[in-house]
Amino acid sequence: MAEISLQSLGIVIDGMFTEAVPFLDADCGGLAKKCLQLFSGYGLKANQISVRRRDQVFNYELLFQLFNGNGTFKISSERLHIELQNARLKVDFEIIADCVTKMYEIVPSTRLGTSSIAATIQTTMSPPATAARFFSAFSTPKGGIDPVGIIIRALFEPWPQKIKLVMEESAVHPEGLFFALYTDHIGQGFSRETFSNLEKAFTELLGKYDLHFPKSESSAKS
Amino acid sequence: MLSLAEKTPFEREFAERPTQQKTVVQSTTKIRVLLPEPSEIQAWEDLEPSSEWVYAYNDSGWTPLIGLTGRPAALVDLAKSSLLDEAASLSASLVKRVKELTELSENWDGDHAKPIDWNVLNDVVRFLKWLGEQQHFVEPFIVPTFNGLLQIEWHGEKRLLEIEGVKEGWVVGGTIIHDDSRRDYFEGQCSKEEFGKLRKSYDWFSGVEEVWPFPEK
């Protein structure tokens, strides 16, 4: 088995609303207050929350950023948008899970339909120089073409939706692998258990290719 | 301009890394930047141990810049930095304690204790800052609990005060120790923003107020 170490992770989650919410029904003041209550521990101040409104009905968004711009949180008429990047340590997974679950608590659950999840992960392989060898195992039988990536789409337990995974040589880390993961979450809540299930599914997927994170980097509970 | 040969082993190792691996991170207000001498690395104060020099590579080779980097900041580093900025006006020992608390990870007690809730720690910092603006106070102990919450404790000869930060607000406990070692216990609760009530409980602890500030149930 080849060991891969996390270098950075970014995640974008869009929780689509079942129907667009007009500004007058959105209660942006109440949403802003809840954001302040739940995110003050991460340094959110009142004057960092803004509401941009372009017309009287559907063109508005509530917005704030955390972590020196590495976290962006928006609530518009049609969706909840969460973007977090530059997660580098195991404890960052907890922060991401905490931030996402808090945002899903803030928005009335009856608004939420399907959420799309996109994650990008930069890793390095150990021992080094195995990335090219890793993909050469998938070269064409007649030879002459060496793939530099794999795309798969399948179900992996315990995640209930199909996961699309792009796996290729990292452009940032010469001896590393880059992963892009796309999937959906159907349901109105987004709990830590939801995150844990996604992580377990990703770990299982990696295992199919004899890849694994060191135990110290894995936050999935067994 | 320095050639690679003139650099220390540390600098050579850094300079020989591929350019894409040199990432500039957010600097903090606590880092002081000095002009580097061409033939030596100066030891900086207040730096993270993993700080590194920034080198720019162009057609002429490697050139040292006036500046430095640390390892790329993780989200937890940025969260800690934000909390420590909030705590900056507290005493050095309290800031040090806050920093220690931010570094408690899951299972910090070896018995499945949770890491500290960031919101609760932020509330404690805000309260102590507010209290410090109102009056001089004796520094409390700040103690983590098993479930990731915090207790602010003051221990006196005759009175004890414990203020526990919970997710919904504050739970306050007071103890009077009589001369015959008998103890009387008092309790109270208030919401997160009711710093005034917490201050009254501190006044009770310090003897300024004789009456426990929370009504009996």
Side-chain angles (χ1 to χ4, degrees):
Chain A
M1 270 198 150
E3 191 173 272
I4 52 175
S5 292
L6 174 71
Q7 298 303 311
S8 69
L9 178 148
I11 189 165
V12 176
I13 298 177
D14 280 295
M16 306 305 295
F17 295 163
T18 51
E19 57 180 14
V21 180
F23 182 77
L24 287 178
D25 295 342
D27 187 23
C28 286
L31 293 175
K33 207 169 168 184
K34 284 188 200 172
C35 291
L36 193 58
Q37 282 169 358
L38 292 177
F39 290 95
S40 59
Y42 292 124
L44 182 64
K45 301 278 189 286
N47 61 2
Q48 292 170 330
I49 305 174
S50 60
V51 175
R52 298 176 189 164
R53 187 177 170 190
R54 296 179 193 86
D55 65 28
Q56 305 298 317
V57 196
F58 292 117
N59 281 303
Y60 66 89
E61 65 181 15
L62 181 150
L63 161 73
F64 64 92
Q65 291 191 310
L66 295 174
F67 311 118
N68 272 21
N70 285 304
T72 299
F73 304 83
K74 294 183 194 174
I75 302 172
S76 67
S77 61
E78 293 180 307
R79 73 180 70 192
L80 165 64
H81 176 83
I82 303 164
E83 198 173 322
L84 289 149
Q85 58 185 5
N86 282 329
R88 297 180 185 275
L89 302 175
K90 175 184 165 183
V91 68
D92 288 347
F93 295 147
E94 278 301 311
I95 290 178
I96 289 176
D98 191 42
C99 288
V100 172
T101 53
K102 280 176 174 169
M103 284 304 288
Y104 273 75
E105 284 173 32
I106 286 168
V107 173
S109 58
T110 47
R111 286 187 196 172
L112 288 160
T114 302
S115 301
S116 66
I117 302 168
T120 55
I121 306 161
Q122 294 280 1
T123 67
T124 50
M125 292 189 80
S126 178
T130 54
R133 268 210 312 273
F134 175 80
F135 287 112
S136 68
F138 303 97
S139 57
T140 54
K142 293 184 181 175
I145 298 176
D146 288 328
V148 293
I150 297 169
I151 300 176
I152 56 175
R153 189 163 181 267
L155 282 169
F156 292 94
E157 290 291 336
W159 190 254
Q161 309 303 323
K162 282 193 175 175
I163 295 175
K164 176 182 169 184
L165 185 76
V166 175
M167 194 171 14
E168 58 185 343
E169 289 181 15
S170 171
V172 175
H173 302 284
E175 299 89 30
L177 291 176
F178 167 78
F179 300 91
L181 181 153
Y182 307 94
T183 187
D184 292 323
H185 168 61
I186 298 174
Q188 294 174 337
F190 211 119
S191 64
R192 284 169 187 267
E193 188 184 352
T194 310
F195 265 105
S196 177
N197 288 342
L198 184 57
E199 190 186 350
K200 285 177 188 170
F202 182 56
T203 303
E204 188 200 336
L205 191 159
L206 292 178
K208 302 283 186 197
Y209 291 92
D210 284 338
L211 298 170
H212 73 103
F213 287 105
K215 272 194 176 173
S216 59
E217 282 186 13
S218 170
S219 60
K221 293 176 185 164
S222 57
Chain B
M1 183 195 69
L2 296 172
S3 67
L4 280 180
E6 291 174 285
K7 296 182 174 56
T8 65
F10 176 83
E11 288 177 281
R12 279 200 293 275
E13 187 268 334
F14 181 81
E16 284 163 5
R17 283 190 212 163
T19 304
Q20 65 257 31
Q21 289 190 7
K22 292 183 178 61
T23 52
V24 178
V25 300
Q26 300 88 345
S27 62
T28 75
T29 56
K30 295 178 185 173
I31 295 178
R32 293 177 295 135
V33 178
L34 299 175
L35 285 174
E37 293 298 321
S39 60
E40 62 182 315
I41 290 283
Q42 296 187 15
W44 303 86
E45 294 176 31
D46 300 328
L47 293 185
E48 292 295 320
S50 58
S51 294
E52 300 168 341
W53 289 97
V54 175
Y55 286 87
Y57 186 79
N58 53 34
D59 291 340
S60 306
W62 291 102
T63 307
L65 297 180
I66 300 172
L68 54 83
T69 76
R71 62 167 171 79
L75 296 183
V76 66
D77 299 322
L78 298 167
K80 277 185 206 173
S81 173
S82 180
L83 200 58
L84 290 172
D85 279 348
E86 181 75 26
S89 62
L90 296 175
S91 69
S93 55
L94 280 178
V95 170
K96 184 179 170 201
R97 185 59 180 144
V98 169
K99 187 168 188 290
E100 286 168 358
L101 291 167
T102 63
E103 287 164 1
L104 291 179
S105 55
E106 186 137 357
N107 197 35
W108 52 264
D109 67 343
D111 196 16
H112 309 292
K114 292 184 180 178
I116 301 305
D117 184 288
W118 291 93
N119 272 354
V120 171
L121 182 52
N122 186 59
D123 290 338
V124 166
V125 167
R126 285 195 310 119
F127 165 60
L128 291 176
K129 278 177 61 172
W130 180 89
L131 188 64
E133 288 163 9
Q134 304 297 310
Q135 62 190 78
H136 172 73
F137 65 91
V138 172
E139 274 194 13
F141 297 100
I142 307 177
V143 180
T145 66
F146 174 83
N147 51 2
L149 305 176
L150 290 168
Q151 276 187 343
I152 314 171
E153 297 180 0
W154 281 276
H155 298 177
E157 278 189 22
K158 298 292 183 188
R159 293 187 178 185
L160 309 176
L161 179 66
E162 290 175 354
I163 300 177
E164 182 170 358
V166 298
K167 293 189 181 181
E168 303 78 25
W170 307 95
V171 174
V172 187
T175 306
I176 291 179
I177 305 169
H178 296 280
D179 291 339
D180 58 359
S181 301
R182 188 171 44 89
R183 295 187 174 212
D184 290 333
Y185 299 99
F186 303 87
E187 285 183 346
Q189 293 180 30
C190 60
S191 64
K192 276 194 185 186
E193 298 306 322
E194 291 187 283
F195 288 169
K197 286 192 177 175
L198 300 182
R199 178 191 163 176
K200 284 182 181 173
S201 59
Y202 179 79
D203 288 341
W204 172 88
F205 160 77
S206 59
V208 170
E209 292 284 343
E210 284 301 320
V211 178
W212 178 247
F214 294 89
E216 275 189 42
K217 287 183 184 176

